[in-house]
Amino acid sequence: MRPFVMNYAQQNAVPDVPVPYDYSSALQLNLLPDGRPAISDRALLLSVGTTTSTAGSQTHFDD
């Protein structure tokens, strides 16, 4: 028997787009290639919408 919800569930397509920043586990920040925090680049924020990391989601309910 197929669950009712499976009639409407859709898989989200994840775009294969390179992200212009990397997560630093030591600093717990997303960093640009030049070492600046990604949050400091306004143009980046406007283009990608967010730089939020999911690293703390398992321990913090308000991430």
Side-chain angles (χ1 to χ4, degrees), residues 18-46:
V19 180
Y21 53 84
D22 290 314
Y23 181 72
S24 167
S25 58
L27 296 174
Q28 296 185 1
L29 289 172
N30 291 315
L31 298 176
L32 297 170
D34 64 1
R36 293 181 298 133
I39 193 73
S40 66
D41 189 335
R42 185 171 172 86
L44 173 67
L45 292 178
L46 290 172

